[in-house]
Amino acid sequence: MSERRDLQIIGDLVPHGSRVLDLGCGNGELLAWLQRHKGCTGYGIEIDDANVLACVQRGVNVVQLNLEEGLALFDDQSFDVVLQIETLQHLRNAERMLHETVRVGRIGIVSFPNFAHWPNRVRVVGGRMPVTRALPYEWYDTPNIRVGTYADFEVLARKNGLQISDAFGLQDGRVVRTLPNLLASVAVFKFERS
Amino acid sequence: MASVGRVTPQTMHFDEPLPLRSGASLPSYSLVYETYGRLNAERSNAVLVCHALNASHHVAGVDERGATGWWDNLVGPGKPLDTERFFVIGVNNPGSCFGSTGPTHLNPATGKAWGADFPVVTVEDWVDAQVRLVERLGIPKLAAVLGGSLGGMQALSWAMRHPERLEHCIAVATAPNLSAQNIAFNEVARRAIVTDPDFHGGHFYEHGVVPKRGLRVARMIGHITYLSDDAMEAKFGRELRAAELGYSTQEIEFQIESYLRHQGDKFSAYFDANTYLLITRALDYFDPAREHGGKLAAAFAPARDKRFLVVSFTTDWRFSPARSREIVKALVDNRIAVSYAEIAAPHGHDAFLLEDPRYHQAMRAYFETVAARVGAVKTEAAHV
């Protein structure tokens, strides 16, 4: 999620002054933005050395952890918001991480590449896996081990009793609320435990 | 990279007794310390470095004996803890054998060396002694307290006991208390010393002997625990000292034996046996959660508005990452600002003294944020 507009759109979903846990916080850009513009506090979780370093340089609290090992470090309902921005698709235990999200936080916000975006569909109909800006990898070297669609997440959320309070797509730095499963390369969901 | 250069230790004497956790007190005492860099006009750029088991106040630079400081790769001009920005203090703890009042010094009550009668000192006692030194140096608040291993315990204790006297706490390769396995290693080391016929109940000075055999074995077992299995395998493997097996149960066959014996010999020539007993006990006793019903988070509650950096090393089995995560959890439970780096270094516990680039980059980045917060600006090198 390098685009600044996307970052701001997702940041705007976070209530002012929230205590935030950012799972897979990358270089800490979003957390730094939330601290500066929305008076938020909290921690980022990162596994990558270079990203951990970038967070420390930014003055963002970062905890170096492997998310596959769960969130035992964090107590129930200890955060207002748990973010998983472009993280879920990298996790083997994606469903468990959703449970953990609503255990640890009041609100969960998830974004991931929408595999059903129309150019991806065209590629697949043509017999090839999609390689796009949102999914820039070849099938054999992709770190995205969980490819899903906007519509798939709605099903998973329902199955896990998550209450979706907002959902939209992102395309070229703009919010897509019309046919997001078809017209957006990124899916965004805001949810709570029902 | 540059060094702080030639350094001369200083001594500060304290006449007021130091009350100890045991209920006893140290009647009067001296602390030996070194400083590097310059204290700024606001007195806001001081960093205290706490030492681990067998180290001292000599953190950086080269002393009169030509010895390089134990954390010279981290502390100096342009180094991660940059002495062109920070005023760095290295202090030797009471009970040590490197200059501060310890078992080899005279007990004013008897006129003889303290020996085994030196009062038992704890991490908390050391921190209280350090507080007095920092006060005397005219520093109202430290920019940071930094330590690795046992030094990390002191840094944590500073934040818990004297939060108003520091801004940042940097705890490397440490633990919130020792595990049973750790205490067990310490006990083996202590028994090796105490059962050495030259120990004389800790009053061996009067007999003109040193329990070297015990110290050697103590150091050997300690040393094994500071290295990772992989590091030892890489360095020694099953390498033999001679071309052929000697079929001896007593002589050195393997290089690792030779190495351990060498380390033991070196150590027994300079380290005091009573100090070893005291310091390993201080390690055993450290357990800040104990007085809070075992709740570590409660122990950290006073440090609510402090900032922490916690660092561990993946191959450190003596102070494993899991122990550092306990510290991180206790801090997070208190909503305390903390960053945690888990460095994939191969060297085991010793990694905290080595120059792994990921480790040093993280330390450098953190100290830059410390400098920005406390207004520690770059000045010309105080030493060349």
Side-chain angles (χ1 to χ4, degrees):
Chain A
M1 223 221 15
S2 57
E3 288 178 38
R4 214 152 273 265
R5 293 250 292 282
D6 286 10
L7 182 133
Q8 198 174 327
I9 290 165
I10 288 172
D12 281 338
L13 297 173
V14 177
H16 193 91
S18 292
R19 190 168 146 70
V20 178
L21 183 64
D22 188 351
L23 307 178
C25 65
N27 61 18
E29 199 179 2
L30 178 57
L31 262 180
W33 188 89
L34 288 170
Q35 283 175 13
R36 198 169 327 116
H37 298 284
K38 305 214 81 179
C40 295
T41 57
Y43 308 91
I45 306 295
E46 230 336 294
I47 189 169
D48 178 70
D49 289 329
N51 279 335
V52 169
L53 181 62
C55 290
V56 173
Q57 282 164 338
R58 276 208 157 89
V60 164
N61 291 324
V62 61
V63 175
Q64 191 162 24
L65 278 185
N66 182 355
L67 286 174
E68 301 287 7
E69 288 166 18
L71 298 178
L73 210 61
F74 305 101
D75 281 350
D76 294 0
Q77 298 297 295
S78 52
F79 290 88
D80 299 315
V81 178
V82 177
L83 299 170
Q84 288 175 74
I85 307 308
E86 303 286 324
T87 300
L88 208 58
Q89 70 267 26
H90 305 307
L91 297 179
R92 191 163 296 280
N93 60 4
E95 187 175 13
R96 208 182 103 214
M97 194 48 68
L98 284 183
H99 294 179
E100 284 285 86
T101 296
V102 288
R103 174 185 70 78
V104 167
R106 204 166 46 80
I107 299 170
I109 297 172
V110 161
S111 83
F112 58 90
N114 173 30
F115 201 75
H117 188 211
W118 67 265
N120 301 338
R121 298 188 193 198
V122 169
R123 279 279 286 194
V124 172
V125 166
R128 300 286 308 278
M129 282 295 278
V131 179
T132 63
R133 197 141 49 88
L135 291 165
Y137 304 96
E138 293 288 351
W139 66 276
Y140 48 82
D141 67 2
T142 178
N144 300 325
I145 59 172
R146 298 279 176 248
V147 281
T149 70
Y150 185 100
D152 285 333
F153 192 87
E154 289 179 312
V155 174
L156 180 65
R158 210 174 308 129
K159 174 176 173 251
N160 285 286
L162 304 181
Q163 188 92 43
I164 294 172
S165 55
D166 198 2
F168 52 83
L170 283 176
Q171 184 58 40
D172 299 325
R174 280 179 298 105
V175 172
V176 179
R177 291 193 182 270
T178 312
L179 299 175
N181 197 39
L182 185 67
L183 301 178
S185 59
V186 174
V188 180
F189 288 85
K190 181 176 179 178
F191 54 89
E192 292 171 43
R193 183 159 51 178
S194 52
Chain B
M1 227 171 276
S3 156
V4 296
R6 180 67 182 267
V7 291
T8 311
Q10 294 165 271
T11 302
M12 186 93 77
H13 186 75
F14 298 83
D15 281 322
E16 56 273 53
L18 182 72
L20 304 173
R21 297 272 279 193
S22 64
S25 76
L26 201 52
S28 73
Y29 59 100
S30 296
L31 296 180
V32 176
Y33 65 100
E34 287 179 4
T35 68
Y36 326 103
R38 284 196 188 123
L39 189 61
N40 63 11
E42 301 78 29
R43 295 182 289 173
S44 67
N45 68 335
V47 174
L48 179 73
V49 178
C50 304
H51 71 74
L53 204 155
N54 64 325
S56 72
H57 51 276
H58 184 38
V59 175
V62 180
D63 69 10
E64 63 271 36
R65 271 171 283 175
T68 301
W70 55 272
W71 226 345
D72 191 71
N73 60 24
L74 188 85
V75 181
K79 289 180 180 172
L81 175 44
D82 188 350
T83 51
E84 289 174 7
R85 293 168 192 265
F86 291 105
F87 175 67
V88 180
I89 307 160
V91 58
N92 187 217
N93 289 324
S96 175
C97 52
F98 294 116
S100 292
T101 300
T104 59
H105 293 122
L106 289 186
N107 176 354
T110 64
K112 289 199 268 184
W114 279 100
D117 298 332
F118 194 87
V120 168
V121 280
T122 64
V123 166
E124 290 80 6
D125 299 331
W126 287 334
V127 167
D128 291 352
Q130 293 161 9
V131 165
R132 288 186 180 177
L133 174 74
V134 169
E135 220 166 48
R136 282 267 197 100
L137 291 173
I139 296 155
K141 197 177 206 182
L142 291 161
V145 179
L146 159 69
S149 190
L150 176 56
M153 291 175 170
Q154 293 160 59
L156 295 176
S157 185
W158 263 88
M160 291 185 261
R161 293 171 65 75
H162 305 283
E164 70 290 351
R165 293 177 183 274
L166 79 163
E167 295 281 3
H168 301 82
C169 171
I170 300 159
V172 183
T174 192
N177 60 26
L178 289 195
S179 66
Q181 189 193 47
N182 259 319
I183 296 171
F185 283 124
N186 283 347
E187 175 59 4
V188 173
R190 281 191 296 266
R191 292 314 294 168
I193 290 169
V194 167
T195 57
D196 184 322
D198 284 337
F199 183 63
H200 295 288
H203 294 285
F204 51 89
Y205 315 115
E206 301 159 27
H207 296 79
V209 291
V210 170
K212 283 199 167 187
R213 279 161 290 191
L215 275 167
R216 277 192 203 109
V217 175
R219 182 58 172 171
M220 285 166 83
I221 186 143
H223 211 90
I224 295 166
T225 70
Y226 305 144
L227 299 176
S228 69
D229 190 15
D230 286 349
M232 248 194 213
E233 196 57 34
K235 200 165 171 184
F236 305 103
R238 294 183 50 84
E239 207 180 311
L240 296 171
R241 202 154 77 143
E244 296 299 325
L245 292 177
Y247 295 100
S248 159
T249 56
Q250 315 282 309
E251 297 306 312
I252 291 174
E253 288 278 44
F254 296 93
Q255 286 294 6
I256 181 63
E257 297 174 312
S258 167
Y259 174 76
L260 285 178
R261 287 199 200 183
H262 172 70
Q263 292 295 331
D265 287 345
K266 232 170 55 176
F267 188 70
S268 69
Y270 73 82
F271 210 83
D272 177 66
N274 285 309
T275 290
Y276 202 89
L277 302 180
L278 286 169
I279 295 188
T280 54
R281 252 314 182 222
L283 269 162
D284 293 356
Y285 282 143
F286 183 70
D287 187 8
R290 189 168 174 266
E291 57 201 84
H292 298 277
K295 292 193 173 65
L296 187 61
F300 276 112
R304 280 246 159 81
D305 59 343
K306 304 296 123 185
R307 292 173 175 275
F308 288 71
L309 174 67
V310 178
V311 180
S312 75
F313 302 93
T314 49
T315 54
D316 182 353
W317 55 279
R318 182 106 198 227
F319 291 86
S320 71
R323 305 310 316 277
S324 280
R325 281 188 225 124
E326 287 176 42
I327 297 168
V328 174
K329 172 153 181 52
L331 295 170
V332 167
D333 286 349
N334 280 296
R335 307 186 167 197
I336 291 172
V338 55
S339 280
Y340 170 58
E342 200 169 290
I343 310 289
H347 315 99
H349 187 55
D350 265 356
F352 89 88
L353 295 167
L354 303 174
E355 212 179 324
D356 182 281
R358 286 157 300 182
Y359 165 42
H360 273 202
Q361 277 165 14
M363 295 292 269
R364 179 184 294 280
Y366 195 76
F367 273 113
E368 276 166 16
T369 66
V370 173
R373 276 192 210 102
V374 303
V377 292
K378 217 172 169 78
T379 57
E380 280 172 45
H383 306 268
V384 182

